[in-house]
mmCIF file with all atom_site columns, all heavy atoms in Angstrom:
data_model
loop_
_atom_site.group_PDB
_atom_site.id
_atom_site.type_symbol
_atom_site.label_atom_id
_atom_site.label_alt_id
_atom_site.label_comp_id
_atom_site.label_asym_id
_atom_site.label_entity_id
_atom_site.label_seq_id
_atom_site.pdbx_PDB_ins_code
_atom_site.Cartn_x
_atom_site.Cartn_y
_atom_site.Cartn_z
_atom_site.occupancy
_atom_site.B_iso_or_equiv
_atom_site.pdbx_formal_charge
_atom_site.auth_seq_id
_atom_site.auth_comp_id
_atom_site.auth_asym_id
_atom_site.auth_atom_id
_atom_site.pdbx_PDB_model_num
ATOM 1  N N   . VAL A 1 277 ? 109.356 110.538 115.543 1.00 0.00 ? 277 VAL A N   1
ATOM 2  C CA  . VAL A 1 277 ? 108.246 110.081 114.710 1.00 0.00 ? 277 VAL A CA  1
ATOM 3  C C   . VAL A 1 277 ? 108.341 110.748 113.355 1.00 0.00 ? 277 VAL A C   1
ATOM 4  O O   . VAL A 1 277 ? 108.615 111.951 113.253 1.00 0.00 ? 277 VAL A O   1
ATOM 5  C CB  . VAL A 1 277 ? 106.894 110.398 115.379 1.00 0.00 ? 277 VAL A CB  1
ATOM 6  C CG1 . VAL A 1 277 ? 105.745 109.963 114.487 1.00 0.00 ? 277 VAL A CG1 1
ATOM 7  C CG2 . VAL A 1 277 ? 106.798 109.684 116.722 1.00 0.00 ? 277 VAL A CG2 1
ATOM 8  N N   . HIS A 1 278 ? 108.106 109.987 112.303 1.00 0.00 ? 278 HIS A N   1
ATOM 9  C CA  . HIS A 1 278 ? 108.186 110.542 110.955 1.00 0.00 ? 278 HIS A CA  1
ATOM 10 C C   . HIS A 1 278 ? 107.118 111.622 110.765 1.00 0.00 ? 278 HIS A C   1
ATOM 11 O O   . HIS A 1 278 ? 105.967 111.442 111.179 1.00 0.00 ? 278 HIS A O   1
ATOM 12 C CB  . HIS A 1 278 ? 107.993 109.432 109.923 1.00 0.00 ? 278 HIS A CB  1
ATOM 13 C CG  . HIS A 1 278 ? 108.422 109.833 108.552 1.00 0.00 ? 278 HIS A CG  1
ATOM 14 N ND1 . HIS A 1 278 ? 107.662 110.643 107.750 1.00 0.00 ? 278 HIS A ND1 1
ATOM 15 C CD2 . HIS A 1 278 ? 109.550 109.557 107.849 1.00 0.00 ? 278 HIS A CD2 1
ATOM 16 C CE1 . HIS A 1 278 ? 108.282 110.840 106.600 1.00 0.00 ? 278 HIS A CE1 1
ATOM 17 N NE2 . HIS A 1 278 ? 109.427 110.192 106.632 1.00 0.00 ? 278 HIS A NE2 1
ATOM 18 N N   . PRO A 1 279 ? 107.475 112.761 110.134 1.00 0.00 ? 279 PRO A N   1
ATOM 19 C CA  . PRO A 1 279 ? 106.517 113.867 109.975 1.00 0.00 ? 279 PRO A CA  1
ATOM 20 C C   . PRO A 1 279 ? 105.229 113.473 109.259 1.00 0.00 ? 279 PRO A C   1
ATOM 21 O O   . PRO A 1 279 ? 104.174 114.047 109.524 1.00 0.00 ? 279 PRO A O   1
ATOM 22 C CB  . PRO A 1 279 ? 107.310 114.903 109.162 1.00 0.00 ? 279 PRO A CB  1
ATOM 23 C CG  . PRO A 1 279 ? 108.738 114.586 109.424 1.00 0.00 ? 279 PRO A CG  1
ATOM 24 C CD  . PRO A 1 279 ? 108.811 113.110 109.625 1.00 0.00 ? 279 PRO A CD  1
ATOM 25 N N   . VAL A 1 280 ? 105.302 112.502 108.343 1.00 0.00 ? 280 VAL A N   1
ATOM 26 C CA  . VAL A 1 280 ? 104.093 112.092 107.616 1.00 0.00 ? 280 VAL A CA  1
ATOM 27 C C   . VAL A 1 280 ? 103.025 111.605 108.587 1.00 0.00 ? 280 VAL A C   1
ATOM 28 O O   . VAL A 1 280 ? 101.831 111.869 108.418 1.00 0.00 ? 280 VAL A O   1
ATOM 29 C CB  . VAL A 1 280 ? 104.435 110.991 106.595 1.00 0.00 ? 280 VAL A CB  1
ATOM 30 C CG1 . VAL A 1 280 ? 103.169 110.415 105.971 1.00 0.00 ? 280 VAL A CG1 1
ATOM 31 C CG2 . VAL A 1 280 ? 105.338 111.544 105.506 1.00 0.00 ? 280 VAL A CG2 1
ATOM 32 N N   . VAL A 1 281 ? 103.460 110.894 109.623 1.00 0.00 ? 281 VAL A N   1
ATOM 33 C CA  . VAL A 1 281 ? 102.528 110.335 110.600 1.00 0.00 ? 281 VAL A CA  1
ATOM 34 C C   . VAL A 1 281 ? 101.762 111.444 111.314 1.00 0.00 ? 281 VAL A C   1
ATOM 35 O O   . VAL A 1 281 ? 100.624 111.253 111.737 1.00 0.00 ? 281 VAL A O   1
ATOM 36 C CB  . VAL A 1 281 ? 103.294 109.459 111.613 1.00 0.00 ? 281 VAL A CB  1
ATOM 37 C CG1 . VAL A 1 281 ? 102.398 109.006 112.745 1.00 0.00 ? 281 VAL A CG1 1
ATOM 38 C CG2 . VAL A 1 281 ? 103.904 108.259 110.912 1.00 0.00 ? 281 VAL A CG2 1
ATOM 39 N N   . LEU A 1 282 ? 102.380 112.613 111.446 1.00 0.00 ? 282 LEU A N   1
ATOM 40 C CA  . LEU A 1 282 ? 101.795 113.705 112.220 1.00 0.00 ? 282 LEU A CA  1
ATOM 41 C C   . LEU A 1 282 ? 101.041 114.709 111.356 1.00 0.00 ? 282 LEU A C   1
ATOM 42 O O   . LEU A 1 282 ? 100.662 115.773 111.844 1.00 0.00 ? 282 LEU A O   1
ATOM 43 C CB  . LEU A 1 282 ? 102.901 114.423 113.005 1.00 0.00 ? 282 LEU A CB  1
ATOM 44 C CG  . LEU A 1 282 ? 103.694 113.544 113.981 1.00 0.00 ? 282 LEU A CG  1
ATOM 45 C CD1 . LEU A 1 282 ? 104.787 114.344 114.662 1.00 0.00 ? 282 LEU A CD1 1
ATOM 46 C CD2 . LEU A 1 282 ? 102.768 112.926 115.017 1.00 0.00 ? 282 LEU A CD2 1
ATOM 47 N N   . GLU A 1 283 ? 100.810 114.381 110.088 1.00 0.00 ? 283 GLU A N   1
ATOM 48 C CA  . GLU A 1 283 ? 99.998  115.258 109.250 1.00 0.00 ? 283 GLU A CA  1
ATOM 49 C C   . GLU A 1 283 ? 98.557  115.283 109.765 1.00 0.00 ? 283 GLU A C   1
ATOM 50 O O   . GLU A 1 283 ? 98.033  114.263 110.228 1.00 0.00 ? 283 GLU A O   1
ATOM 51 C CB  . GLU A 1 283 ? 100.033 114.785 107.799 1.00 0.00 ? 283 GLU A CB  1
ATOM 52 C CG  . GLU A 1 283 ? 101.375 114.980 107.118 1.00 0.00 ? 283 GLU A CG  1
ATOM 53 C CD  . GLU A 1 283 ? 101.362 114.494 105.675 1.00 0.00 ? 283 GLU A CD  1
ATOM 54 O OE1 . GLU A 1 283 ? 100.301 113.992 105.233 1.00 0.00 ? 283 GLU A OE1 1
ATOM 55 O OE2 . GLU A 1 283 ? 102.403 114.602 105.005 1.00 0.00 ? 283 GLU A OE2 1
ATOM 56 N N   . PRO A 1 284 ? 97.877  116.443 109.703 1.00 0.00 ? 284 PRO A N   1
ATOM 57 C CA  . PRO A 1 284 ? 96.523  116.561 110.274 1.00 0.00 ? 284 PRO A CA  1
ATOM 58 C C   . PRO A 1 284 ? 95.532  115.526 109.763 1.00 0.00 ? 284 PRO A C   1
ATOM 59 O O   . PRO A 1 284 ? 94.677  115.061 110.516 1.00 0.00 ? 284 PRO A O   1
ATOM 60 C CB  . PRO A 1 284 ? 96.107  117.979 109.868 1.00 0.00 ? 284 PRO A CB  1
ATOM 61 C CG  . PRO A 1 284 ? 97.398  118.729 109.751 1.00 0.00 ? 284 PRO A CG  1
ATOM 62 C CD  . PRO A 1 284 ? 98.393  117.738 109.222 1.00 0.00 ? 284 PRO A CD  1
ATOM 63 N N   . ARG A 1 285 ? 95.619  115.144 108.487 1.00 0.00 ? 285 ARG A N   1
ATOM 64 C CA  . ARG A 1 285 ? 94.643  114.178 107.978 1.00 0.00 ? 285 ARG A CA  1
ATOM 65 C C   . ARG A 1 285 ? 94.803  112.820 108.641 1.00 0.00 ? 285 ARG A C   1
ATOM 66 O O   . ARG A 1 285 ? 93.857  112.033 108.685 1.00 0.00 ? 285 ARG A O   1
ATOM 67 C CB  . ARG A 1 285 ? 94.776  114.034 106.463 1.00 0.00 ? 285 ARG A CB  1
ATOM 68 C CG  . ARG A 1 285 ? 96.041  113.351 105.970 1.00 0.00 ? 285 ARG A CG  1
ATOM 69 C CD  . ARG A 1 285 ? 96.131  113.403 104.458 1.00 0.00 ? 285 ARG A CD  1
ATOM 70 N NE  . ARG A 1 285 ? 97.303  112.729 103.936 1.00 0.00 ? 285 ARG A NE  1
ATOM 71 C CZ  . ARG A 1 285 ? 97.299  111.474 103.492 1.00 0.00 ? 285 ARG A CZ  1
ATOM 72 N NH1 . ARG A 1 285 ? 96.176  110.774 103.531 1.00 0.00 ? 285 ARG A NH1 1
ATOM 73 N NH2 . ARG A 1 285 ? 98.402  110.923 103.009 1.00 0.00 ? 285 ARG A NH2 1
#
Side-chain angles (χ1 to χ4, degrees):
V277 178
H278 196 283
V280 172
V281 173
L282 301 178
E283 290 180 359
R285 69 186 182 96

